[in-house]
Amino acid sequence: MNYTRKQIIAGNWKMYKNQAEAKAFLLKFLPQLHGDRVLWLDEQQRDRVPDIVLCAPFTKLQFLSETLVLSPQNLVLGAQNIHWADEGPFTGEISGQMLNEYNVRYVIVGHSERRLNFCDTDETVCKRLQAAQSHNITPILCVGETKLQREAGLAEEVLTSQLTNSLKGIDLGNLVVAYEPIWAIGTGDTCDAREANRILKHIRTVLQSDRITLLYGGSVKPDNIDELMEQPEIDGVLVGGASLDPDSFARIVNFHLPRP
Ligand code: PGA
Protein backbone atom coordinates (compact mmCIF):
# COMPACT_ATOMS: atom_id res chain seq x y z
CA MET A 1 0.00 0.00 0.00
CA ASN A 2 1.53 3.26 -1.10
CA TYR A 3 0.02 6.09 0.91
CA THR A 4 1.02 8.51 3.61
CA ARG A 5 -0.65 10.67 6.24
CA LYS A 6 -1.73 14.11 5.07
CA GLN A 7 -2.84 17.18 7.00
CA ILE A 8 -6.44 18.04 6.15
CA ILE A 9 -8.57 20.88 7.49
CA ALA A 10 -12.12 20.29 6.28
CA GLY A 11 -15.14 22.53 6.75
CA ASN A 12 -18.61 20.98 6.74
CA TRP A 13 -21.15 23.63 5.80
CA LYS A 14 -24.04 21.19 6.31
CA MET A 15 -27.32 22.75 5.08
CA TYR A 16 -26.15 26.35 5.41
CA LYS A 17 -25.31 29.23 3.04
CA ASN A 18 -27.23 30.58 0.09
CA GLN A 19 -25.44 32.08 -2.90
CA ALA A 20 -24.96 35.56 -1.40
CA GLU A 21 -23.66 34.09 1.85
CA ALA A 22 -21.21 31.79 0.06
CA LYS A 23 -19.85 34.72 -1.96
CA ALA A 24 -19.51 36.88 1.15
CA PHE A 25 -17.66 34.02 2.88
CA LEU A 26 -15.13 33.68 0.07
CA LEU A 27 -14.54 37.42 -0.16
CA LYS A 28 -13.39 37.43 3.45
CA PHE A 29 -11.82 33.97 3.60
CA LEU A 30 -9.67 33.79 0.47
CA PRO A 31 -7.47 36.82 1.25
CA GLN A 32 -6.57 35.18 4.56
CA LEU A 33 -5.09 32.10 2.86
CA HIS A 34 -1.38 31.92 2.32
CA GLY A 35 -1.64 29.23 -0.29
CA ASP A 36 -0.36 31.38 -3.18
CA ARG A 37 3.07 30.01 -2.29
CA VAL A 38 1.76 26.52 -3.06
CA LEU A 39 1.91 27.36 -6.77
CA TRP A 40 5.70 27.38 -6.60
CA LEU A 41 6.08 24.01 -4.91
CA ASP A 42 6.85 20.75 -6.68
CA GLU A 43 4.47 17.81 -6.35
CA GLN A 44 6.25 16.22 -3.37
CA GLN A 45 6.40 19.49 -1.47
CA ARG A 46 2.74 20.16 -2.26
CA ASP A 47 1.82 16.83 -0.65
CA ARG A 48 3.12 18.25 2.63
CA VAL A 49 0.89 21.36 2.50
CA PRO A 50 -2.43 20.79 4.32
CA ASP A 51 -5.48 20.31 2.09
CA ILE A 52 -8.21 22.80 2.95
CA VAL A 53 -11.57 21.30 2.02
CA LEU A 54 -14.93 23.05 1.75
CA CYS A 55 -17.72 20.45 1.98
CA ALA A 56 -20.60 22.46 0.56
CA PRO A 57 -24.30 21.82 -0.10
CA PHE A 58 -25.01 20.47 -3.60
CA THR A 59 -26.41 23.80 -4.79
CA LYS A 60 -23.05 25.46 -4.11
CA LEU A 61 -20.84 22.93 -5.93
CA GLN A 62 -20.97 24.59 -9.34
CA PHE A 63 -20.27 28.08 -8.01
CA LEU A 64 -17.44 26.87 -5.77
CA SER A 65 -15.85 24.67 -8.44
CA GLU A 66 -15.69 27.67 -10.79
CA THR A 67 -14.33 29.95 -8.07
CA LEU A 68 -11.81 27.55 -6.54
CA VAL A 69 -10.11 27.03 -9.92
CA LEU A 70 -8.64 30.50 -9.40
CA SER A 71 -7.76 30.06 -5.73
CA PRO A 72 -4.77 28.39 -4.04
CA GLN A 73 -4.30 24.81 -5.16
CA ASN A 74 -4.60 23.35 -1.70
CA LEU A 75 -8.16 24.66 -1.33
CA VAL A 76 -10.42 21.96 -2.73
CA LEU A 77 -14.06 21.05 -2.91
CA GLY A 78 -15.89 18.40 -0.88
CA ALA A 79 -19.46 17.08 -0.87
CA GLN A 80 -21.64 15.78 1.96
CA ASN A 81 -23.12 12.65 0.43
CA ILE A 82 -22.74 10.19 -2.47
CA HIS A 83 -25.01 7.41 -3.71
CA TRP A 84 -23.65 4.05 -4.83
CA ALA A 85 -25.37 4.04 -8.21
CA ASP A 86 -24.23 6.23 -11.10
CA GLU A 87 -27.81 7.19 -11.93
CA GLY A 88 -31.31 5.90 -11.28
CA PRO A 89 -34.61 6.46 -9.49
CA PHE A 90 -33.11 7.67 -6.19
CA THR A 91 -34.94 10.89 -5.36
CA GLY A 92 -32.82 13.29 -3.33
CA GLU A 93 -29.52 11.47 -3.82
CA ILE A 94 -26.41 12.40 -5.83
CA SER A 95 -23.95 10.17 -7.69
CA GLY A 96 -20.19 10.06 -7.99
CA GLN A 97 -20.49 10.86 -11.70
CA MET A 98 -22.36 14.05 -10.83
CA LEU A 99 -19.78 15.03 -8.21
CA ASN A 100 -16.99 14.40 -10.73
CA GLU A 101 -18.50 17.10 -12.96
CA TYR A 102 -17.57 19.66 -10.31
CA ASN A 103 -14.11 18.37 -9.49
CA VAL A 104 -15.16 17.26 -6.01
CA ARG A 105 -12.11 15.74 -4.32
CA TYR A 106 -13.53 14.63 -0.95
CA VAL A 107 -16.91 13.44 0.28
CA ILE A 108 -18.18 13.04 3.85
CA VAL A 109 -19.69 9.58 4.39
CA GLY A 110 -21.40 8.19 7.49
CA HIS A 111 -21.79 11.48 9.34
CA SER A 112 -23.83 10.89 12.52
CA GLU A 113 -26.49 13.34 11.27
CA ARG A 114 -27.04 11.07 8.27
CA ARG A 115 -26.95 7.90 10.37
CA LEU A 116 -29.45 9.33 12.89
CA ASN A 117 -31.82 11.25 10.61
CA PHE A 118 -31.56 9.52 7.22
CA CYS A 119 -31.12 5.84 8.10
CA ASP A 120 -27.54 5.44 6.93
CA THR A 121 -26.16 2.15 8.28
CA ASP A 122 -22.71 0.58 8.19
CA GLU A 123 -23.90 -1.34 5.09
CA THR A 124 -25.01 1.74 3.13
CA VAL A 125 -21.94 3.62 4.38
CA CYS A 126 -19.77 0.84 2.94
CA LYS A 127 -21.50 1.14 -0.45
CA ARG A 128 -21.06 4.93 -0.44
CA LEU A 129 -17.36 4.53 0.39
CA GLN A 130 -16.92 2.15 -2.53
CA ALA A 131 -18.73 4.54 -4.87
CA ALA A 132 -16.51 7.45 -3.82
CA GLN A 133 -13.32 5.48 -4.36
CA SER A 134 -14.45 4.19 -7.72
CA HIS A 135 -14.92 7.82 -8.83
CA ASN A 136 -11.53 8.83 -7.48
CA ILE A 137 -13.06 10.90 -4.69
CA THR A 138 -11.52 10.46 -1.23
CA PRO A 139 -14.21 9.56 1.30
CA ILE A 140 -14.04 11.02 4.81
CA LEU A 141 -15.62 8.25 6.88
CA CYS A 142 -17.12 9.57 10.14
CA VAL A 143 -17.34 7.33 13.18
CA GLY A 144 -18.25 8.18 16.77
CA GLU A 145 -20.07 7.11 19.89
CA THR A 146 -23.01 8.66 21.77
CA LYS A 147 -22.69 10.06 25.29
CA LEU A 148 -24.54 7.04 26.70
CA GLN A 149 -22.20 4.62 24.95
CA ARG A 150 -19.18 6.56 26.27
CA GLU A 151 -20.52 6.61 29.80
CA ALA A 152 -21.12 2.87 29.61
CA GLY A 153 -17.45 2.40 28.65
CA LEU A 154 -18.39 1.24 25.15
CA ALA A 155 -16.68 3.91 23.01
CA GLU A 156 -13.88 1.70 21.64
CA GLU A 157 -16.25 -1.21 21.03
CA VAL A 158 -18.69 0.99 19.07
CA LEU A 159 -15.89 2.45 16.96
CA THR A 160 -14.37 -0.96 16.25
CA SER A 161 -17.73 -2.26 15.08
CA GLN A 162 -18.43 0.80 12.87
CA LEU A 163 -14.98 0.50 11.29
CA THR A 164 -15.00 -3.24 10.68
CA ASN A 165 -18.53 -3.28 9.28
CA SER A 166 -18.24 -0.26 7.01
CA LEU A 167 -14.73 -0.90 5.69
CA LYS A 168 -15.31 -4.39 4.22
CA GLY A 169 -13.49 -4.42 0.88
CA ILE A 170 -12.48 -0.75 1.14
CA ASP A 171 -9.03 0.39 0.01
CA LEU A 172 -7.33 2.14 2.95
CA GLY A 173 -5.07 3.93 0.46
CA ASN A 174 -7.78 6.39 -0.57
CA LEU A 175 -9.60 6.96 2.69
CA VAL A 176 -9.69 9.44 5.55
CA VAL A 177 -11.32 8.56 8.86
CA ALA A 178 -12.77 11.24 11.15
CA TYR A 179 -13.44 10.50 14.81
CA GLU A 180 -16.54 12.53 15.61
CA PRO A 181 -17.94 11.78 19.07
CA ILE A 182 -21.65 12.52 18.72
CA TRP A 183 -21.79 14.27 22.11
CA ALA A 184 -19.20 16.80 20.88
CA ILE A 185 -20.93 17.76 17.61
CA GLY A 186 -22.49 21.21 17.70
CA THR A 187 -22.50 21.23 21.50
CA GLY A 188 -19.39 23.28 22.29
CA ASP A 189 -18.30 20.27 24.38
CA THR A 190 -15.02 19.39 22.60
CA CYS A 191 -13.40 16.08 23.34
CA ASP A 192 -10.22 16.63 25.35
CA ALA A 193 -7.30 16.70 22.90
CA ARG A 194 -5.40 13.90 24.66
CA GLU A 195 -8.51 11.74 24.76
CA ALA A 196 -9.10 12.33 21.03
CA ASN A 197 -5.47 11.35 20.48
CA ARG A 198 -5.96 8.15 22.48
CA ILE A 199 -9.04 7.23 20.46
CA LEU A 200 -7.28 7.87 17.15
CA LYS A 201 -4.52 5.53 18.32
CA HIS A 202 -7.20 2.90 18.90
CA ILE A 203 -8.52 3.51 15.36
CA ARG A 204 -5.02 3.02 13.92
CA THR A 205 -4.77 -0.26 15.81
CA VAL A 206 -8.12 -1.47 14.46
CA LEU A 207 -7.13 -0.47 10.92
CA GLN A 208 -3.67 -1.99 11.37
CA SER A 209 -2.16 0.99 9.61
CA ASP A 210 -0.07 3.86 10.90
CA ARG A 211 -0.18 5.65 7.54
CA ILE A 212 -3.87 6.42 7.23
CA THR A 213 -4.98 10.06 7.64
CA LEU A 214 -7.12 10.55 10.76
CA LEU A 215 -9.15 13.63 11.69
CA TYR A 216 -10.91 14.78 14.82
CA GLY A 217 -14.31 16.52 14.59
CA GLY A 218 -16.69 17.97 17.18
CA SER A 219 -16.77 21.62 18.33
CA VAL A 220 -13.39 22.48 16.79
CA LYS A 221 -12.81 26.22 17.20
CA PRO A 222 -10.03 28.79 16.85
CA ASP A 223 -9.24 28.46 20.55
CA ASN A 224 -8.79 24.67 20.64
CA ILE A 225 -7.23 24.02 17.21
CA ASP A 226 -3.64 24.48 18.40
CA GLU A 227 -3.92 21.92 21.17
CA LEU A 228 -5.68 19.44 18.89
CA MET A 229 -3.11 19.78 16.10
CA GLU A 230 -0.25 19.29 18.60
CA GLN A 231 -1.40 15.71 19.20
CA PRO A 232 0.74 13.19 17.34
CA GLU A 233 -2.18 11.05 16.05
CA ILE A 234 -4.35 13.95 14.84
CA ASP A 235 -3.64 14.74 11.17
CA GLY A 236 -6.41 17.29 10.81
CA VAL A 237 -9.93 18.31 11.73
CA LEU A 238 -13.48 18.29 10.42
CA VAL A 239 -15.13 21.57 11.40
CA GLY A 240 -18.87 22.28 11.39
CA GLY A 241 -20.13 25.50 12.97
CA ALA A 242 -16.79 27.31 13.01
CA SER A 243 -16.31 26.73 9.26
CA LEU A 244 -19.31 28.97 8.50
CA ASP A 245 -17.53 32.09 9.70
CA PRO A 246 -14.67 33.17 7.40
CA ASP A 247 -12.51 34.60 10.19
CA SER A 248 -12.89 31.57 12.45
CA PHE A 249 -12.22 29.13 9.65
CA ALA A 250 -9.23 31.15 8.43
CA ARG A 251 -7.72 31.05 11.93
CA ILE A 252 -8.27 27.28 12.02
CA VAL A 253 -6.66 26.63 8.62
CA ASN A 254 -3.76 28.95 9.56
CA PHE A 255 -3.16 27.14 12.86
CA HIS A 256 0.50 26.66 11.97
CA LEU A 257 1.11 30.41 11.55
CA PRO A 258 1.87 32.74 14.47
CA ARG A 259 -1.24 34.41 15.87
CA PRO A 260 -1.60 38.07 14.88
P1 PGA B 1 -19.28 21.09 14.87
O1 PGA B 1 -19.66 19.98 13.78
O2 PGA B 1 -17.87 21.55 14.57
O3 PGA B 1 -20.29 22.18 14.70
O4 PGA B 1 -19.34 20.44 16.20
C1 PGA B 1 -18.73 19.01 13.37
C2 PGA B 1 -19.35 18.11 12.34
O5 PGA B 1 -20.56 17.86 12.38
O6 PGA B 1 -18.64 17.60 11.46
Side-chain angles (χ1 to χ4, degrees):
M1 276 178 283
N2 179 26
Y3 57 95
T4 50
R5 290 165 61 175
K6 180 160 185 58
Q7 278 193 338
I8 297 175
I9 308 291
N12 175 9
W13 279 2
K14 307 192 180 184
M15 199 174 70
Y16 290 101
K17 291 208 187 293
N18 60 26
Q19 181 67 9
E21 289 163 343
K23 267 191 191 167
F25 175 94
L26 290 183
L27 274 176
K28 281 188 105 180
F29 178 68
L30 292 179
Q32 299 186 62
L33 291 187
H34 300 272
D36 46 348
R37 279 175 256 139
V38 174
L39 294 171
W40 306 104
L41 303 179
D42 65 33
E43 207 165 307
Q44 267 192 341
Q45 291 169 315
R46 232 180 254 159
D47 272 350
R48 280 184 242 123
V49 177
D51 266 357
I52 302 165
V53 188
L54 279 182
C55 298
F58 302 141
T59 55
K60 292 284 89 51
L61 294 181
Q62 178 165 9
F63 163 67
L64 287 174
S65 70
E66 286 164 5
T67 312
L68 299 193
V69 165
L70 306 169
S71 59
Q73 294 193 6
N74 60 333
L75 175 59
V76 298
L77 193 52
Q80 300 173 18
N81 193 15
I82 182 170
H83 193 267
W84 47 90
D86 277 345
E87 59 180 13
F90 302 110
T91 304
E93 290 281 334
I94 193 155
S95 74
Q97 258 181 15
M98 293 165 174
L99 298 179
N100 281 158
E101 285 191 297
Y102 299 112
N103 204 17
V104 166
R105 296 260 306 276
Y106 291 88
V107 62
I108 298 172
V109 174
H111 192 284
S112 57
E113 287 156 12
R114 293 219 48 95
R115 292 180 194 256
L116 294 174
N117 301 317
F118 301 102
C119 306
D120 249 340
T121 63
D122 288 338
E123 288 69 38
T124 57
V125 165
C126 183
K127 288 175 163 195
R128 294 185 199 278
L129 295 173
Q130 272 165 356
Q133 292 188 333
S134 72
H135 288 91
N136 213 12
I137 299 171
T138 304
I140 302 175
L141 165 65
C142 299
V143 291
E145 81 286 358
T146 64
K147 189 140 201 122
L148 272 181
Q149 290 166 331
R150 171 158 283 262
E151 284 168 356
L154 295 173
E156 285 93 332
E157 203 177 304
V158 169
L159 295 166
T160 304
S161 142
Q162 287 176 341
L163 290 165
T164 32
N165 291 332
S166 58
L167 287 174
K168 287 184 186 138
I170 299 298
D171 170 17
L172 297 189
N174 185 22
L175 176 78
V176 172
V177 175
Y179 168 53
E180 294 219 312
I182 296 172
W183 47 272
I185 296 178
T187 58
D189 188 11
T190 323
C191 181
D192 176 79
R194 280 162 308 241
E195 173 60 7
N197 190 66
R198 190 186 71 79
I199 292 282
L200 291 198
K201 215 172 188 156
H202 168 75
I203 292 177
R204 283 195 203 285
T205 310
V206 175
L207 299 180
Q208 299 180 312
S209 162
D210 52 12
R211 286 180 296 163
I212 188 159
T213 298
L214 298 184
L215 313 183
Y216 166 77
S219 295
V220 175
K221 299 185 219 68
D223 59 13
N224 57 29
I225 184 67
D226 294 346
E227 201 190 353
L228 287 165
M229 292 304 290
E230 273 164 17
Q231 306 302 317
E233 304 297 338
I234 300 183
D235 299 313
V237 286
L238 180 55
V239 189
S243 74
L244 295 170
D245 177 79
D247 296 329
S248 296
F249 197 48
R251 173 56 209 141
I252 291 171
V253 305
N254 289 332
F255 71 91
H256 51 290
L257 300 176
R259 285 187 182 249

